Amino acid sequence: LRRDGAPPVLIDFDDCGWSWYLWELAVVLAPFDGTDAFAPRRDALVDGYRSRWVLSDEDLAELKTVRDAVDYVYDRIAGR
């Protein structure tokens, strides 16, 4: 991705696809699960998402469930 006056940025499309938006949020947050960085990154991601689209508190409450599903799927892919 090229931006005027800024260095190029690489985008990893490996985990992209047609899916429920909470799945995409969970994938983005997965590397930070269990770290001190998780909560601030989750909050910033949710604030940014909500600045453009609707994300209800009810849906957000399911983020943990979807994160668990992401972990399960990736564990199966890795053969764990």
Side-chain angles (χ1 to χ4, degrees):
L1 178 65
R2 295 188 59 185
R3 301 171 292 158
D4 289 340
V9 176
L10 297 177
I11 300 173
D12 180 3
F13 289 101
D14 187 40
D15 295 321
C16 292
W18 293 102
S19 63
W20 191 33
Y21 53 90
L22 279 183
W23 183 272
E24 301 300 336
L25 298 179
V27 167
V28 169
L29 292 169
F32 307 104
D33 231 356
T35 70
D36 292 338
F38 179 81
R41 282 182 165 75
R42 178 204 56 219
D43 295 345
L45 184 62
V46 168
D47 288 347
Y49 192 94
R50 284 179 166 168
S51 74
R52 300 293 308 260
W53 297 283
V54 174
L55 177 60
S56 70
D57 289 338
E58 181 180 63
D59 283 347
L60 187 58
E62 296 300 325
L63 183 59
K64 171 67 171 122
T65 303
V66 178
R67 283 181 22 237
D68 290 344
V70 166
D71 290 344
Y72 177 81
V73 168
Y74 290 157
D75 284 347
R76 292 299 151 267
I77 291 170
R80 293 183 224 153

